[in-house]
Amino acid sequence: MKTTGIFFLLVFGIYLAVNCQDMAEGACSQMLMNDLYQMDFSQKIIGNTKVRFDNDTLYYAFLFARMHYRGLDDVIIHLKYKKMRKSTMRSQPQVNVFTNKSNRVYRILINEDPTLNGIFYRDFSINSIIGWFGHEIGHIVDYFERSDLGLMVFGLNYVFSDRFMRTAEVFADSTAVFHGLGYHLLEGAEFCLNSDKISPAYKQKLKDYYLLPDDIRKLIYRFESKIVLEADGRDVSARNRIVP
Ligand SMILES: [Zn+2]
């Protein structure tokens, strides 16, 4: 029953994204926002999402993205504004040696100052914001099984190794796609790479460290093939692998 519910949620997400792509950007955002208001979000997810700002667009977009990660229903995630020079959003584990990692709390920080870097979330469509949240929750999936010490090593590697950073970012992108948010991620990636509002430096960073639109399309195809095979009751173990 649970698997069936997740399946229909994923298909609904894909349906929504595919249909939105055929519409004008404004109409798509408006339609999706109305849909988000009317969605019946899980009470557990609502209870475990702590929001430190008043912004319905971000809140509902986050709940929608979170509904695709039902394995994290019990995880507490805080959403918070923060001025950041190099990021639009960033997810962080709150390391606490006195608590078990299963009780660890995570934060997703959102830059609210458009002057600080070459990209600003308010320029995004709703779909793109959902995709961005899907990416950040993908990082939390990565953090989830790591010990506190493992997280510290992760942080050091991320800062000092470009190769490690790319692997971590590609993992987060791939995880979003394999949780049914590929079209949302794709819309954001295409917008960023084509928009005059995004600085050349930020575009280069996206090319260096994240999945490009064609890579995302290939992963979406693999994910959708997996869903069809699973619905058909066939073995998908060989395909169910995230490739950094
Ligand atoms: Zn990231």
Side-chain angles (χ1 to χ4, degrees):
M1 187 66 189
K2 191 178 175 187
T3 307
T4 308
I6 293 171
F7 171 73
F8 280 114
L9 182 66
L10 294 176
V11 171
F12 173 70
I14 292 169
Y15 167 82
L16 217 51
V18 169
N19 280 281
C20 278
Q21 288 189 327
D22 293 336
M23 302 176 187
E25 186 176 300
C28 170
S29 299
Q30 186 58 45
M31 189 205 84
L32 187 53
M33 200 60 211
N34 288 339
D35 281 338
L36 291 180
Y37 278 128
Q38 293 167 20
M39 273 199 74
D40 187 17
F41 293 112
S42 152
Q43 287 302 312
K44 187 181 273 188
I45 284 179
I46 291 171
N48 285 332
T49 300
K50 313 293 182 191
V51 189
R52 308 272 183 84
F53 49 68
D54 184 17
N55 184 325
D56 280 358
T57 304
L58 287 179
Y59 177 58
Y60 283 98
F62 178 75
L63 291 181
F64 184 85
R66 228 193 132 156
M67 286 285 281
H68 292 70
Y69 288 86
R70 300 309 300 271
L72 299 180
D73 274 13
D74 293 322
V75 175
I76 297 174
I77 302 177
H78 291 255
L79 299 180
K80 194 180 167 198
Y81 286 150
K82 183 177 172 63
K83 290 185 177 183
M84 297 180 286
R85 285 210 169 274
K86 293 186 177 177
S87 304
T88 304
M89 288 189 196
R90 189 194 305 159
S91 51
Q92 286 182 333
Q94 292 192 304
V95 176
N96 184 340
V97 294
F98 299 109
T99 61
N100 188 296
K101 69 180 180 184
S102 61
N103 296 323
R104 187 184 290 141
V105 172
Y106 297 87
R107 295 195 305 180
I108 294 181
L109 307 172
I110 301 147
N111 184 22
E112 239 285 307
D113 187 340
T115 64
L116 285 180
N117 65 31
I119 191 166
F120 185 39
Y121 80 85
R122 287 183 188 272
D123 293 330
F124 279 17
S125 66
I126 306 291
N127 272 345
S128 304
I129 294 174
I130 290 170
W132 212 286
F133 276 131
H135 172 95
E136 295 305 327
I137 303 171
H139 280 305
I140 293 176
V141 170
D142 197 2
Y143 302 149
F144 191 70
E145 292 298 331
R146 297 177 190 266
S147 65
D148 287 352
L149 182 61
L151 285 173
M152 290 178 208
V153 173
F154 179 97
L156 288 173
N157 280 327
Y158 188 92
V159 171
F160 291 110
S161 166
D162 284 351
R163 186 185 169 96
F164 186 91
M165 180 178 165
R166 175 169 166 79
T167 300
E169 297 302 345
V170 169
F171 178 89
D173 275 346
S174 305
T175 303
V177 174
F178 277 82
H179 283 75
L181 293 171
Y183 287 105
H184 300 82
L185 195 72
L186 179 61
E187 188 167 319
E190 288 186 324
F191 169 78
C192 288
L193 292 171
N194 296 323
S195 172
D196 293 337
K197 293 182 177 178
I198 310 299
S199 70
Y202 207 98
K203 286 181 183 174
Q204 191 57 49
K205 181 183 174 186
L206 292 174
K207 290 174 185 169
D208 289 343
Y209 295 103
Y210 298 80
L211 289 180
L212 293 173
D214 278 350
D215 303 320
I216 297 172
R217 282 192 197 90
K218 285 176 191 162
L219 275 189
I220 291 172
Y221 174 76
R222 284 180 50 195
F223 171 67
E224 291 180 344
S225 303
K226 179 168 120 31
I227 286 182
V228 171
L229 290 174
E230 279 180 343
D232 208 22
R234 291 156 66 179
D235 179 24
V236 295
S237 54
R239 292 165 179 258
N240 191 12
R241 187 165 58 91
I242 297 170
V243 181

